[in-house]
Structures are given as C-alpha cells and as structure tokens.
C-alpha cells in the first residue's frame, strides 16, 4: 500500500532489505532472492548488491550503469551480476553496459554475465524485455544452485516451459 521513490541511499537500501526480510519471514521456503531493476532501477540494483550482499543472491540490471559501488568480498564471490542492455538504447547508451561489465570483471566478480540484445530500434531499445529477463533469471538459477534438491527444482521448472532451453538445463 505504501509507495516510495528510491535512489542510492541508506534509507532506500534499508527499505528494500526490510522488504526482503519480510518475504523471507512470510515464506520460509524461499531459498534465493534476486533483484531486477530497469533503467534507474538498474542503477539501484548495482548499488544495492554492493551495500547489502547478504540479502540477495543475484541481480538483473537492465539498461543501467554502475556508478559508485562498494565491492564487498562476499558480493564478488556470491552475488550473480546479470547485465542486460539493448544495443540500440537511446536513453542509456549501450557503452554503459560494456563499461559496467568491465568494472565488475576488473573487481573479480565470479558470477558475471553480459547480454546485449540485438535487433531493437532506438524507440524499443530501452524498454523492458521480458523474455531476456527470464533468460537472465534462469542463468541466475543455474549459478546459485547450492544443493541437489535445488538443482532438481530448477530443472523441473525449466522443463515446464513451452520450449525448454536444453543446453541451459544440461549446464
């Protein structure tokens, strides 16, 4: 019911951390938490993952840019960073995705993926891409499996889609 606008600040981070904690309390079977952000939300995801790495397992940052990020040792090892960007993005240039990937790669992040989406025009290049976001979330699932049970659950969910990606399932 309550709404708030967030930027990159302690109050905002605490609000998201509280939301995650409340979901974990209400749904104790939650085994992984991912944060997705588009545009300004992507800027926030990068910041949040560095400030609160213990609260999540990965992010999908779509059409954003990394600005000031704390590169926590735990984040480098445990937090998956999925960078998604349309090549023809007229709002946030695609160079931001390449730059961001370079920053995280240089910092030594172990779970890092960059996907540049081709075939979009300048009007569509910035807008949400549900299919590609779903693929990035599947990738996060594949790199955050910690037990055989979770692995089988991931495979089961991946097989339920109309056209499963068998190479992802095999990986």
């Amino acid at each position: 019911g309550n709404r708030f606008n967030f930027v990159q600040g302690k109050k905002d981070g605490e609000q998201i951390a509280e939301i995650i904690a409340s979901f974990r309390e209400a749904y104790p079977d939650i085994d992984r938490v991912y944060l997705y952000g588009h545009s300004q939300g992507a800027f926030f995801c990068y910041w949040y993952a560095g400030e609160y790495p213990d609260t999540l397992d990965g992010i999908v940052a779509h059409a954003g840019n990394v600005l000031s990020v704390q590169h926590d040792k735990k984040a480098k090892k445990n937090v998956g960073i999925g960078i998604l960007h349309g090549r023809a993005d007229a709002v946030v240039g695609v160079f931001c995705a390449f730059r961001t990937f370079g920053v995280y790669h240089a910092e030594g992040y172990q779970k890092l993926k960059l996907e540049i989406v081709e075939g979009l025009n300048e009007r569509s290049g910035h807008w949400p891409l549900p299919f590609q976001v779903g693929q990035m979330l599947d990738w996060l699932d594949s790199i955050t499996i910690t037990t055989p049970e979770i692995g089988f659950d991931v495979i089961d969910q991946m097989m339920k889609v109309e056209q499963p990606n068998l190479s992802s399932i095999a990986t």
Side-chain angles (χ1 to χ4, degrees), residues 3-20 35 40-41 43-45 47-49 51-52 55:
R3 297 180 191 182
F4 64 94
N5 290 323
F6 56 86
V7 289
Q8 297 176 14
K10 186 171 176 61
K11 178 183 175 193
D12 305 316
E14 287 174 355
Q15 286 180 310
I16 298 300
E18 287 173 15
I19 290 169
I20 291 170
L35 194 60
Q40 182 62 32
F43 285 75
F44 180 79
C45 281
W47 175 83
Y48 185 87
E51 293 290 325
Y52 297 87
T55 66

Side-chain angles (χ1 to χ4, degrees), residues 2 8 11 28 65 92 95 103 114 146 148 158 162:
N2 293 330
Q8 297 176 14
K11 178 183 175 193
N65 193 7
V92 179
F95 67 89
V103 167
L114 170 64
T146 56
M158 292 173 84
E162 190 172 314

Side-chain angles (χ1 to χ4, degrees), residues 26-82:
Y27 305 99
D29 292 338
I30 291 176
D31 57 359
R32 288 166 289 182
V33 173
Y34 308 134
L35 194 60
Y36 166 77
H38 173 256
S39 197
Q40 182 62 32
F43 285 75
F44 180 79
C45 281
Y46 292 130
W47 175 83
Y48 185 87
E51 293 290 325
Y52 297 87
D54 292 333
T55 66
L56 73 162
D57 299 287
I59 65 167
V60 175
H62 176 199
N65 193 7
V66 67
L67 297 176
S68 175
V69 174
Q70 177 178 317
H71 297 286
D72 184 273
K73 192 175 186 177
K74 286 182 183 176
K76 291 178 187 184
K77 182 180 177 192
N78 298 328
V79 177
I81 306 290

Side-chain angles (χ1 to χ4, degrees), residues 81-125:
I81 306 290
I83 302 166
L84 180 62
H85 215 107
R87 178 156 321 264
D89 189 331
V91 179
V92 179
V94 71
F95 67 89
C96 294
F98 291 111
R99 180 188 161 282
T100 297
F101 181 83
V103 167
Y104 281 100
H105 186 277
E107 287 290 332
Y109 278 74
Q110 295 177 14
K111 301 174 180 180
L112 180 62
K113 181 175 182 174
L114 170 64
E115 182 168 340
I116 304 299
V117 180
E118 304 290 348
L120 304 171
N121 62 41
E122 288 188 358
R123 289 178 45 195
S124 64

